[in-house]
Amino acid sequence: MARLIGGLGTSHIPAIGGAIHKGLQQQPYWKPFFDGFPPIRDWLATQRPDVVVVFYNDHGLNFFLDKMPTFAVGAAPLYANADEGWGIPTLAPLPGDLDLSWQIIETLVEREFDVTSCQEMLVDHACTLPVKLFWPEDPCPVRIVPVCINTVQFPLPKARRVYAMGQAVGEAVRSWDSDQTVAVLASGGLSHQLDGERAGFINKAFDLRFLDSLEADPEWATQFSIPEIIEHAGTQGVELLQWLAMRGALAATGLPVRRLHRNYHIPISNTATAVMALEATGA
Ligand code: DHB
Ligand code: FE
């Protein structure tokens, strides 16, 4: 059976792509953010996952407001990106893993999560940047399964539902008849609001409480309604749902979870950034 070794999380601000492209990682503005990654890359270098399931939200590249699935799973051999207008260079397509994609889709539908399966799928900065941050090597050494959760167009799925969907993804990985090593990755958040009266809103106390909960009390955030999450974390801070899905997947291993590394820095662009790695101990 496949091994689910742990979970990663990072914010996905488009400007990060420009900073990587221009080699600005050591500049004072960027260093506190990029410094979060080397300890996690060291761990990944020892664990060498073959596949990573990426929980993220598309921002209008593959799904626009006219067609918005609540949960969509990629089932493509390759995932191209495109010019999103943020100034991020277009990268080489990321390789997919068809076998794990269908294992996840079949398990989710069996568990009554009626997902949209996507045999063609463009992935935006929320998928490409985290993969590039954790695996800067070229060509990309991991295959991906993108799991897109709508945090953009109302109505959004409830936190408890997202956590349960993540658990079902974790069960799909655990029951995958394969010798592959798998990690799960959350992309998004933490608190930020890009528009409206509260543009620039950040809530450090809530963010840190949320990160703590992922270690010790993973269902803590499922108590909140979507309006409550937005009140605490900002309109786009609702992306923290992606982290709940990642944590749900780890919970499905039944293994104790240990924090390997965590970094929090305010702000990059308009966003409170977090980087984290959780190990499923004994996987
Ligand atoms: C920013 C943050 C995001 O999550 C995003 O998708 C786009 C922009 C920002 O802070 O600039
Ligand atoms: Fe975003």
Side-chain angles (χ1 to χ4, degrees), residues 71 105-115 161 168:
F71 301 124
I105 292 164
E106 282 168 17
T107 306
L108 286 176
V109 174
E110 173 64 26
R111 303 285 157 98
E112 300 176 5
F113 293 95
D114 301 318
V115 297
R161 178 91 177 137

Side-chain angles (χ1 to χ4, degrees), residues 19-33:
I20 296 172
H21 181 57
K22 294 180 197 136
L24 304 181
Q25 290 92 329
Q26 293 306 313
Q27 290 210 347
Y29 181 84
W30 289 104
K31 189 171 162 40
F33 172 72

